[in-house]
Amino acid sequence: MQSFKTSDPAAPPASVVADTGAAVSPASAFIDDLVVANHILFDHGIVDAFGHVSVRHDRDPDRFLLSRNLAPGSVKPEDIVEFDLQGDPVNAHGRSLYLERFIHSEIYKARPDVMAIVHSHSPAVLPFGLVQGVKFRPVCHMCGFLGQGAPVYEIRQWAGEATDLLIRSNALGRSLAETLGETSLVLMRGHGSTVVGPSLKQAVYRAIYAEVNARLQSEAMRLGPVTYLSSEEAETSLETVESHIERPWALWKARVVRD
Ligand code: MN
């Protein structure tokens, strides 16, 4: 099969691209955590056959790890591929890749503080990217990472009205990273959302609790005018809750790891 580098202007939107360079081997426990993260997100219904989770490389900040093109619930250690920040693989060896890997590469490039990223189409969150005048904001202390509310990415502003809504190029990845700005979660109109964190465990936690916040906020809005967390409450509760990140991780991991 013919394969292109992502940066090649003649390259079609491709899931099979040439490797660039050699892999920097991460610790195997690190890869194991990424596999567990895939399974936890599937177990919680955040991803199904689609969606993905990545982590910045522990030995090279200009690299990240992401599964090959596979349903997250099926990911095994040997499926993890290392990428550079152009979204090109270094050890794919011709295996098919996620078309939307540029979500990850461009956010890692724009945000040195981001160590992990979850992209999903989780269903309770998605409506908040659709409705004008409604902001996705934290309604409980578990969701302080939402700060003063999530920005909405409108792909039509960047690529016209006839796309498939996928982030399938470096340029679209850059525009998404720009809309994300310094926040932790960006809604993607008609598509889903992307959440970032300072560690893999926090990114997984946030993806799960974004869905919880969405259900709570929708429910509250049906009842009447909503009181949201203040920015100070969001910040303080974020610090408290995410300092206990090992507790939910251990619980969620035990559900998906079988000997
Ligand atoms: Mn997607």
Side-chain angles (χ1 to χ4, degrees), residues 233-255:
E233 285 171 340
E235 215 169 292
T236 312
S237 55
L238 167 67
E239 224 167 278
T240 305
V241 168
E242 294 197 10
S243 69
H244 297 290
I245 198 69
E246 293 297 336
R247 193 198 305 174
W249 178 265
L251 178 70
W252 297 337
K253 181 177 175 177
R255 280 168 54 111

Side-chain angles (χ1 to χ4, degrees), residues 194-212:
T194 296
V195 61
V196 305
S199 70
L200 179 62
K201 293 171 186 178
Q202 281 161 285
V204 168
Y205 168 87
R206 291 174 181 190
I208 289 170
Y209 270 91
E211 186 72 3
V212 171

Side-chain angles (χ1 to χ4, degrees), residues 7-214:
S7 52
D8 183 345
S15 60
V16 178
V17 297
D19 288 335
T20 60
V24 182
S25 293
S28 68
F30 202 73
I31 287 186
D32 291 345
D33 274 353
L34 183 55
V35 171
V36 168
N38 273 273
H39 296 178
I40 288 173
L41 290 166
F42 175 58
D43 189 44
H44 284 260
I46 304 303
V47 297
D48 49 18
F50 302 97
H52 19 88
V53 50
S54 71
V55 64
R56 197 189 287 269
H57 202 293
D58 54 343
R59 295 194 194 155
D60 183 348
D62 293 333
R63 297 278 178 88
F64 68 95
L65 303 166
L66 174 70
S67 171
R68 69 183 173 93
N69 189 346
L70 205 60
S74 313
V75 170
K76 293 193 275 299
E78 57 268 33
D79 299 312
I80 302 300
V81 176
E82 185 177 319
F83 293 85
D84 64 25
L85 295 190
Q86 289 306 307
D88 282 322
V90 299
N91 58 359
H93 310 306
R95 291 174 292 174
S96 174
L97 306 172
Y98 293 128
L99 287 170
E100 294 196 285
R101 58 193 179 276
F102 308 103
I103 292 172
H104 304 265
S105 57
E106 292 298 327
I107 290 175
Y108 287 126
K109 211 186 286 178
R111 288 277 300 273
D113 61 305
V114 169
M115 292 302 163
I117 300 171
V118 177
H119 167 64
S120 81
H121 313 145
S122 71
V125 173
L126 197 145
F128 288 92
L130 306 177
V131 181
Q132 302 288 325
V134 174
K135 198 155 194 192
F136 187 40
R137 292 180 59 181
V139 293
C140 89
H141 69 300
M142 302 297 283
C143 304
F145 62 90
L146 291 171
Q148 280 308 281
V152 180
Y153 176 74
E154 175 48 84
I155 196 168
R156 290 178 192 164
Q157 284 177 5
W158 308 87
E161 307 221 344
T163 69
D164 58 11
L165 287 94
L166 300 186
I167 305 298
R168 51 166 67 243
S169 70
N170 298 93
L172 286 173
R174 258 193 309 280
S175 64
L176 181 70
E178 191 177 307
T179 305
L180 172 71
E182 294 304 311
T183 68
S184 296
L185 186 144
V186 59
L187 299 162
M188 302 155 80
R189 194 270 310 158
H191 179 174
S193 60
T194 296
V195 61
V196 305
S199 70
L200 179 62
K201 293 171 186 178
Q202 281 161 285
V204 168
Y205 168 87
R206 291 174 181 190
I208 289 170
Y209 270 91
E211 186 72 3
V212 171
N213 193 84

